[in-house]
Amino acid sequence: MAAKSLQSIRGIHDGLPAEVRVWQRIETAARKVFGTYAFSEVRLPILEPTELFVRSIGEATDIVSKEMYSFTDQGGDNICLRPEGTAGSVRAYLQGGLTRSGTQRWFYIGPMFRRERPQKGRLRQFQQIGVEMFGAAGPLEDIEMLAMAHAFLTELGITGLTIEVNSLGCAVCRPGYRDQLVGYLKQRAGQLCETCNERIEKNPMRVLDCKVASCQAQLGDAPEMVGHLCEGCETHFTGVKQGLDALQVPYRINARIVRGLDYYNRTAFEIVTDQLGAQGTVLAGGRYDGLVEELGGPATQAIGFAAGLERLSMLLGETEAAGVDVAVVALGDAALTYSLKQAALLRSEGLSVVHCGGGNAKRQFRVADRESARCVVVIGENEMHTGLVTLKDMATGNQHELSIAEVVQAISG
RNA sequence: GUGGACGUAGCUCAAUGGUAGAGCCCCGGCUUGUGAUGCCGGUGGUUGGGGGUUCGAGUCCCCUCGUCCACCCCA
């Protein structure tokens, strides 16, 4: 608590070694699994024109209306820190001229920014692992997307997750359903909570998953989107369900999943846990068939999802530090330079080596212990003369005089 | 943006309005070529910051910053 004036910004945290180890575990799993589905990594800008998100996410959404870090730069351009990854991906897809290059399967890992009040599982700078597929027509891509998300979380060994799937309909069937729902809600407006009354006009589907018990009590027979799908959406949704069944991907229909962002249609899904308090959504996504065209490209069906790295991390627990292979203890000033050379030799063989800094033996062994070194190589004047080193196994306490080559053999083998 | 809880040593936490402490960690010694277990000693704090009440504030009041939890919303 010492230096008060120099703190990171509220809700923006440091990734220190213990945390980053867990992130890397997640990233490794993502690269492995997404690779098996032939997805390629993209690295996209963190700064984007503000207009991009206004046009894609929707001006009325909370993200755009109050959560974006946007500002005017020295040249007068209105730019912002990206609040999510899909809009930028679409922008890059179009800008890169890839609309005639066949299906694009992308994933990315990186920070996103939203100026919200921080709480459990919610930060102002957070990291997402996102996946986008452009040129994804049928239910088949939806199925593979869900299967890939499932495989990813399975690879991580996270249990207690539920895959929830819904269909949000499309421009054909959603408006009619919406009207019907609004009518239903208006009849019961008196019994609904204050926020739900605000939601009736702004985002009526959100009323369906209100947490207030008295609201839920009113909504038992509320109309649901899945009961009002047009023929195209119905066929699509049925195809998705059949495919998931065939692949034995466990899921349940949650007719009350709502997507906050304007661009979603048809398949929407969330993978949720009950272990993270109010922020139970660990991974979420869906289809956004209209967005590419909306942003000036050719009509292109697309689907994607994003997972919150920090939320996943909270479900995994600590990852043990790798620990160094060898700690070098140099005894006597005469052996210092020589010991540095021996350390370099060990490193050139690929071992991870810490030099304990010379000085008294006890201190150096304590350093070796704190570094969780598997072995200590002791180098003093005796060793300099014989050309050998003393290798001590820190677990057993046994030690022998060996050549460097034998040390490498003993540790690697 | 709204509401609630909290902020004391590097960490985890004590201290009826009356001299700021403990455990762990760290450093040193017992042992100048041997760690993790022992014993002895030591460093470390403007009690988040600022103001107020009081003879006296870590403790009470106000403001501010931050953390956590929830709402809103979302990964």
Side-chain angles (χ1 to χ4, degrees):
Chain A
M1 306 263 163
K4 278 279 100 54
S5 52
L6 291 178
Q7 285 193 50
S8 68
I9 294 163
R10 178 176 213 176
I12 298 186
H13 294 184
D14 299 307
L16 298 178
E19 177 93 59
V20 172
R21 277 196 293 274
V22 184
W23 293 348
Q24 288 176 333
R25 220 166 101 202
I26 297 168
E27 291 166 11
T28 300
R31 291 196 163 90
K32 178 180 171 188
V33 173
F34 299 165
T36 66
Y37 281 79
F39 279 64
S40 302
E41 182 169 358
V42 291
R43 304 202 179 176
L44 303 176
I46 289 167
L47 289 170
E48 291 277 7
T50 305
E51 181 67 15
L52 172 64
F53 301 104
V54 174
R55 281 177 55 189
S56 56
I57 300 176
E59 196 152 12
T61 60
D62 282 10
I63 291 179
V64 169
S65 64
K66 57 189 192 193
E67 294 173 2
M68 282 209 296
Y69 284 97
S70 60
F71 57 97
T72 306
D73 75 3
Q74 293 90 328
D77 294 324
N78 192 231
I79 62 180
C80 68
L81 271 55
R82 61 182 185 191
E84 57 98 45
T86 299
S89 298
V90 173
R91 199 223 78 242
Y93 170 70
L94 293 175
Q95 190 173 333
L98 297 167
T99 57
R100 303 284 181 110
S101 303
T103 300
Q104 296 293 307
R105 292 177 298 270
W106 292 2
F107 75 92
Y108 50 82
I109 302 172
M112 307 294 167
F113 303 82
R114 292 180 200 172
R115 198 182 183 290
E116 302 178 88
R117 191 80 166 261
Q119 67 183 75
K120 188 179 185 68
R122 161 180 295 170
L123 297 167
R124 288 184 170 182
Q125 175 176 340
F126 59 101
Q127 298 180 88
Q128 283 189 339
I129 298 183
V131 172
E132 314 289 351
M133 176 151 52
F134 301 109
L140 190 142
E141 285 83 356
D142 304 45
I143 296 159
E144 289 219 298
M145 210 70 168
L146 261 319
M148 184 168 84
H150 180 243
F152 167 49
L153 296 170
T154 302
E155 172 74 19
L156 284 172
I158 298 175
T159 57
L161 297 173
T162 307
I163 301 178
E164 302 190 335
V165 183
N166 192 19
S167 176
L168 303 177
C170 65
V172 174
C173 50
R174 189 151 47 172
Y177 162 70
R178 189 194 148 108
D179 290 346
Q180 204 172 337
L181 177 62
V182 170
Y184 172 91
L185 295 175
K186 278 184 175 166
Q187 286 177 1
R188 292 160 179 76
Q191 282 81 277
L192 297 173
C193 71
E194 203 173 316
T195 35
C196 277
N197 272 284
E198 287 169 20
R199 288 192 271 228
I200 290 176
E201 293 298 341
K202 197 175 140 199
N203 192 354
M205 288 170 79
R206 179 64 72 194
V207 176
L208 297 179
D209 67 354
C210 180
K211 288 168 187 166
V212 179
S214 57
C215 288
Q216 282 304 325
Q218 293 296 317
L219 300 170
D221 60 345
E224 293 176 336
M225 186 69 240
V226 287
H228 297 76
L229 297 175
C230 62
E231 195 180 340
C233 287
E234 182 67 47
T235 305
H236 188 273
F237 193 43
T238 302
V240 171
K241 289 184 286 189
Q242 286 173 348
L244 292 176
D245 291 337
L247 290 179
Q248 297 184 308
V249 174
Y251 69 96
R252 73 179 196 88
I253 303 297
N254 178 355
R256 310 207 156 174
I257 288 180
V258 183
R259 298 280 66 183
L261 315 185
D262 286 359
Y263 52 64
Y264 285 111
N265 69 304
R266 288 194 173 167
T267 309
F269 53 92
E270 293 185 0
I271 300 183
V272 298
T273 174
D274 58 6
Q275 294 167 59
L276 292 181
Q279 264 60 51
T281 304
V282 151
L283 181 152
R287 181 165 276 281
Y288 49 96
D289 291 333
L291 184 58
V292 176
E293 195 170 11
E294 180 75 21
L295 291 180
T300 305
Q301 294 179 297
I303 184 169
F305 68 74
L309 198 50
E310 288 84 356
R311 289 185 186 177
L312 289 174
S313 163
M314 285 189 286
L315 296 175
L316 282 174
E318 296 274 299
T319 301
E320 277 197 29
V324 304
D325 296 318
V326 181
V328 173
V329 169
L331 298 172
D333 291 347
L336 264 180
T337 304
Y338 179 75
S339 70
L340 285 173
K341 289 183 187 168
Q342 305 313 301
L345 270 177
L346 292 167
R347 291 181 177 123
S348 72
E349 295 295 330
L351 297 176
S352 87
V353 179
V354 167
H355 194 295
C356 297
N360 84 52
K362 186 188 186 74
R363 189 195 69 76
Q364 294 190 71
F365 268 85
R366 270 206 297 265
V367 170
D369 193 55
R370 191 160 57 214
E371 297 282 355
S372 311
R374 291 165 57 200
C375 302
V376 165
V377 161
V378 184
I379 300 171
E381 290 189 37
N382 299 343
E383 286 82 358
M384 274 179 73
H385 294 316
T386 60
L388 301 175
V389 297
T390 301
L391 177 69
K392 176 170 183 173
D393 182 311
M394 292 296 274
T396 64
N398 298 333
Q399 56 185 57
H400 310 281
E401 291 205 0
L402 299 171
S403 70
I404 287 290
E406 288 168 327
V407 167
V408 171
Q409 177 103 46
I411 294 172
S412 308

